[in-house]
Amino acid sequence: MHLKLKLNLDTFWRGARVVMEQIANLSTGNCRRGSNPRLSAKFMFSIDLDNNIISEVSYVNFNHLHPHENIIPEKRDLLKHKLQKETKFFFISSIIICNKSGIIIDGHHRYSSLKEIGISQIPVTKVNYMSKKIITTEKNIIPKKSIIKRALSGNLFDPKSTKHMVFCEKKNDWFPIILISSLFQIKL
């Protein structure tokens, strides 16, 4: 049995088209400046996961989260300044965390930005990190136990050392784990 996560494109484009591209530009650096968000719509799809991958989508106090990588301060500052420009609310993708240890799997820059602007309840997607359907890098060369140990001890990896991927049953391929995050509205 699979959990089907579908993104309604009409709702997406009405609600958060521009905000999400700006966040993507700032937090990942993967989009070109001035790119048109409608051009990337053809790359959106539903992703099929085993039911045991996502355990919960909720808010967690930032004190209960543990980064495993250092951040790039300039990227954090760009995102932080963008979020601070908003007057009433903004949209942001949830931070992907391990449901057992609270380590951050994806979203270190978002976490750090939210923490610095004073957001104490962080939106998270909790996952079964030990699932074989989640890998740490494209070649899965960093053991998950090592990531957890270093995160909990404060001995963080360099920025962007990991690139967590999740297996999509529908496409029979691996995709960036951020695709399973949820869009949250944060009120200021």
Side-chain angles (χ1 to χ4, degrees), residues 171-183:
K171 302 284 185 181
N172 197 32
D173 202 358
W174 296 93
F175 290 92
I177 201 163
I178 192 171
L179 291 177
I180 66 172
S181 67
S182 298
L183 187 62

Side-chain angles (χ1 to χ4, degrees), residues 90-135:
F90 56 85
F91 292 96
I92 196 161
S93 297
S94 61
I95 311 302
I96 310 292
I97 68 168
C98 172
N99 63 355
K100 302 258 190 258
S101 64
I103 71 147
I104 297 172
I105 297 166
D106 184 82
H108 290 82
H109 291 90
R110 285 173 275 142
Y111 162 78
S112 183
S113 297
L114 291 170
K115 184 177 171 183
E116 284 207 4
I117 64 172
I119 305 297
S120 61
Q121 295 295 311
I122 307 292
V124 298
T125 299
K126 295 180 181 182
V127 298
N128 175 9
Y129 190 45
M130 289 303 151
S131 169
K132 292 180 180 178
K133 305 270 174 125
I134 296 175
I135 57 176

Side-chain angles (χ1 to χ4, degrees), residues 62-163:
F62 71 84
N63 291 321
H64 296 199
L65 302 178
H66 309 283
H68 76 271
E69 293 178 337
N70 284 307
I71 58 155
I72 301 167
E74 296 82 8
K75 289 184 81 164
R76 186 236 8 249
D77 292 344
L78 282 171
L79 180 56
K80 182 176 76 171
H81 293 305
K82 167 61 184 146
L83 298 176
Q84 287 175 321
K85 286 182 182 179
E86 301 301 326
T87 56
K88 295 182 182 180
F89 63 88
F90 56 85
F91 292 96
I92 196 161
S93 297
S94 61
I95 311 302
I96 310 292
I97 68 168
C98 172
N99 63 355
K100 302 258 190 258
S101 64
I103 71 147
I104 297 172
I105 297 166
D106 184 82
H108 290 82
H109 291 90
R110 285 173 275 142
Y111 162 78
S112 183
S113 297
L114 291 170
K115 184 177 171 183
E116 284 207 4
I117 64 172
I119 305 297
S120 61
Q121 295 295 311
I122 307 292
V124 298
T125 299
K126 295 180 181 182
V127 298
N128 175 9
Y129 190 45
M130 289 303 151
S131 169
K132 292 180 180 178
K133 305 270 174 125
I134 296 175
I135 57 176
T136 62
T137 63
E138 289 180 6
K139 295 183 180 180
N140 205 27
I141 56 174
I142 303 175
K144 292 175 186 174
K145 288 182 180 180
S146 173
I147 291 172
I148 293 170
K149 182 178 178 181
R150 287 184 66 171
L152 296 177
S153 71
N155 182 19
L156 306 183
F157 287 92
D158 288 336
K160 305 295 182 184
S161 294
T162 61
K163 181 182 177 185

